[in-house]
Amino acid sequence: MMARNRQAIFWALFFPIMLVVVFGLFNFNGVGVAGVAVVDESGGPRAELFRERLEEIEFLQLEFDEISPTQAREKVIDGNLGYLIIIPDLFDNPSEQEAQTHEPAPVALVYSTRNPDRNQLVDGAVRNLVSDIHSAGAPVVPSRLLTADVIQVPEVDYFDNVLLGLLGLGIMTNSIISIAVRISTFRNQAILKRLLVTPLSIWKFFAAEITAHVLLALVQAGIILAVGVFVFGGKVHGNLLWVFCITALGSVVFLNIGFILSAWAKSPAAASGMGNVVAFPMMFLAGTFFSTAALPWILPQVSLVLPLTPMLEALRDVAIDREPIWDIWPHLAALGGWVLATSVVAVKVFKFR
Amino acid sequence: MEPAVQVENLVKRFGSFTAVDGVSFSVQRGEIFGILGPNGAGKTTTLEIVESLHKPTEGQASVLGLDVQANAAEVKARIGVQLQASAYYSYLNLREILALLGSFYPHKASPESLLDRVGLADKIKNRISELSGGQQQRFAVAASLVNNPEVVILDEPTTGLDPQARRNLWSLIQEVNQRGVTVLLTTHYMEEAEAICDRLAIMDHGKLLALDTPRNLINGLEASYTVKLTMEKPMTEAQLKSLNGGVDVVHSGEQLGGDGVDNTYLLRLANSPSALKSMLDEISKAGLGLENLQVTPVTLEDVFLELTGSEFRD
């Protein structure tokens, strides 16, 4: 029955495609500013000079003053830090070292495989700087001044992250708005009232609507992922089955929210407006495109209590970090709680006329 | 056998507004029972209590011996309902809508036979929007029969239809009734109530004013004819009184209002051949010029006027 509403289906499927296309066209992988942590084991004046010169490089931003090499390495692996530079103990006093090896102690540069273009740039810049500083003393072989410690991580770029954000966004927006508008239309046309004079039980009506919309959500999810992966080269590393399971669970939460809104909406147009009002802020606050850590004020805390947040975290944990489904149970429990809470409210406030 | 529908001292209040005010009646099995009244009389609310869409504030309603509040599901399964303003899924064709509605019931009639009964067999693949108003109402009747109901409740089934389509629907309703289905309907058309209802309840302002067969209701009036006189000149009160050998003066010219009807008078006459004759004698005796004279039998409209003291608000 739903399949006959061609216009609604068109928009339901067109909207996510449009989103993926628009975001796919952005160049999210530009160099930008790279976060760098420096661990100074030498503490001498030459090391100090090195730090100062490092700060003058435009695309590097020094972070984490007090950090241990192990901690910093962890951050590089997690993607929270771009580069780690370790200035060795003997950096400032090469003569002692040179007495044994005829070469100054190399600076260690630690980074992950996440951003190859930027890695080249940073590697070159740091290498030049080290060479510059050392050549003030004696001639040196540049290649031996820096050791690069490259950590292999699964290939993830910003687009992969956004692709899952778009998936969550598409499912949320469509589930909330399409059900709110649909139910509001049915109520306005007294279709709901017509159903009420039949012995059809209310829960069966709810179940049928939710089943149909969850199926549509899964098709949407398939389209978003297919366009993202095959057209724009995004990647999904984890188990696709779990991605679809999380999508279905999240979709139920948003459908319930749609049912709740439809109880208050006086007309289909109002239902659509209300749906947008709920969906739009949630899109930004739940970290669809940008990390919620960057949000100002109490908004990061607000983010934690929105239903889209656990859905996106679960999706990213499974699809990007390849976590097994049982490891992300807190997110699933949060979504489950939302299903329960919204179901209770929906059944309580729902009106047939 | 229990009556098909029985309501006792039904009261329904919405806030401070009383929509239904102490209504009692019972519909016998096999009859066509009509509730006649102007818009806002409380007809629809009464039906919706019987359909268990509303809970009565006071009183009770039962269908086929079952209290509708306590047995809502069983009552819904055994009655057929056509709501006043209800749409059907616009993306389904007629056969699909009937199949879907039928799937909600334990017993169902086939969409083909239902559409055949209401003369829409050739529209089986069409959608609602492709039907005329009359066809849509016939489809609504078909939809109300989807569960082979024992009682069908039709809320203003002919409102908004042209006279031809209305008559068409009357014969459909009578045909349904002849197959043994009890029909409870509302209408605000006097003519319709008179033509198809076995018994009639007249409602206004939430109250039941009268209940009988249309014939008995009409016969209950003292007058049998309405006479409309148009005189050359206005009559005095005394002249008017002298004419009225019958029952009463309903309207003076002013009340009828409008252009050029100042000299028009409406009278009711008793059912005796002498009443009309004596009125005409009086007119010629007094030398009053008579321009026009219309004599019509009294109708339910006159019954309504008699009961409420006011004209029927359509």
Side-chain angles (χ1 to χ4, degrees), chain A residues 2 32 68 75 79 101 108 116 121 153 166 185 256 266 293 311 320 324 330 342:
Chain A
M2 199 169 72
S68 76
K75 283 188 184 291
T101 62
L121 198 68
V153 292
L166 290 175
T185 308
N256 282 346
K266 293 265 187 294
M311 180 182 176
I320 295 179
T342 50

Side-chain angles (χ1 to χ4, degrees), chain A:
Chain A
M1 183 162 59
M2 199 169 72
R4 299 283 176 83
N5 190 343
R6 299 229 172 79
Q7 211 178 12
I9 292 281
F10 171 76
W11 287 108
L13 303 180
F14 175 78
F15 180 62
I17 293 175
M18 186 193 71
L19 276 178
V20 187
V21 169
V22 167
F23 277 85
L25 294 175
F26 277 105
N27 179 11
F28 287 115
N29 297 321
V31 174
V33 176
V36 177
V38 178
V39 173
D40 185 357
E41 290 174 350
S42 146
R46 193 179 278 193
E48 189 59 34
L49 177 68
F50 177 67
R51 279 185 67 119
E52 275 168 25
R53 296 277 302 273
L54 209 53
E55 270 177 79
E56 286 164 18
I57 297 176
E58 233 171 74
F59 54 84
L60 294 184
Q61 190 178 357
L62 293 192
E63 289 171 357
F64 307 113
D65 264 347
E66 307 277 326
I67 195 165
S68 76
T70 349
Q71 271 180 314
R73 237 187 116 80
E74 284 290 309
K75 283 188 184 291
V76 171
I77 293 170
D78 292 347
N80 293 326
L81 176 65
Y83 302 88
L84 165 65
I85 296 171
I86 303 171
I87 305 172
D89 189 14
L90 297 173
F91 187 74
D92 247 294
N93 194 1
S95 54
E96 216 174 289
Q97 173 85 8
E98 275 170 276
Q100 292 154 24
T101 62
H102 307 285
E103 270 178 24
V107 168
L109 176 64
V110 183
Y111 54 84
S112 73
T113 51
R114 251 184 216 102
N115 202 332
D117 296 346
R118 198 177 62 182
N119 289 348
Q120 268 190 338
L121 198 68
V122 173
D123 187 293
V126 175
R127 205 174 284 276
N128 278 343
L129 185 59
V130 177
S131 151
D132 245 24
I133 286 172
H134 281 307
S135 60
V140 286
V141 185
S143 65
R144 305 230 175 112
L145 294 176
L146 185 89
T147 57
D149 178 1
V150 183
I151 302 165
Q152 293 292 329
V153 292
E155 240 182 277
V156 176
D157 59 23
Y158 179 66
F159 183 70
D160 294 349
N161 223 22
V162 164
L163 184 58
L164 291 162
L166 290 175
L167 174 60
L169 171 66
I171 299 306
M172 169 186 71
T173 315
N174 193 253
S175 297
I176 293 181
I177 295 176
S178 102
I179 199 98
V181 170
R182 183 176 160 86
I183 298 299
S184 172
T185 308
F186 283 0
R187 186 183 299 113
N188 272 20
Q189 295 178 345
I191 288 178
L192 290 182
K193 195 171 164 186
R194 185 63 185 81
L195 295 179
L196 206 56
V197 296
T198 73
L200 175 72
S201 44
I202 295 174
W203 72 265
K204 279 189 190 158
F205 170 72
F206 270 95
E209 286 294 328
I210 286 181
T211 307
H213 278 83
V214 167
L215 288 177
L216 176 67
L218 292 176
V219 174
Q220 274 184 300
I223 291 177
I224 294 175
L225 291 177
V227 174
V229 169
F230 296 116
V231 181
F232 293 107
K235 283 173 212 71
V236 175
H237 304 278
N239 188 333
L240 265 183
L241 176 69
W242 296 134
V243 170
F244 282 107
C245 287
I246 295 164
T247 300
L249 191 61
S251 165
V252 175
V253 175
F254 299 121
L255 290 171
N256 282 346
I257 292 177
F259 271 115
I260 295 169
L261 293 182
S262 79
W264 290 312
K266 293 265 187 294
S267 73
S272 166
M274 288 163 75
N276 275 310
V277 164
V278 172
F280 216 69
M282 188 135 66
M283 167 173 99
F284 288 109
L285 293 177
T288 306
F289 305 120
F290 315 104
S291 163
T292 52
L295 289 170
W297 195 44
I298 56 160
L299 294 181
Q301 280 71 47
V302 173
S303 163
L304 294 178
V305 299
L306 297 175
L308 185 57
T309 309
M311 180 182 176
L312 291 182
E313 289 188 0
L315 284 173
R316 286 172 178 152
D317 285 354
V318 164
I320 295 179
D321 301 333
R322 298 183 214 220
E323 286 187 32
I325 194 87
W326 45 89
D327 277 10
I328 58 160
W329 68 266
H331 300 322
L332 297 181
L335 277 180
W338 271 103
V339 169
L340 214 65
T342 50
S343 301
V344 169
V345 176
V347 169
K348 269 222 168 338
V349 302
F350 192 75
K351 290 192 291 264
F352 270 88
R353 45 169 119 202

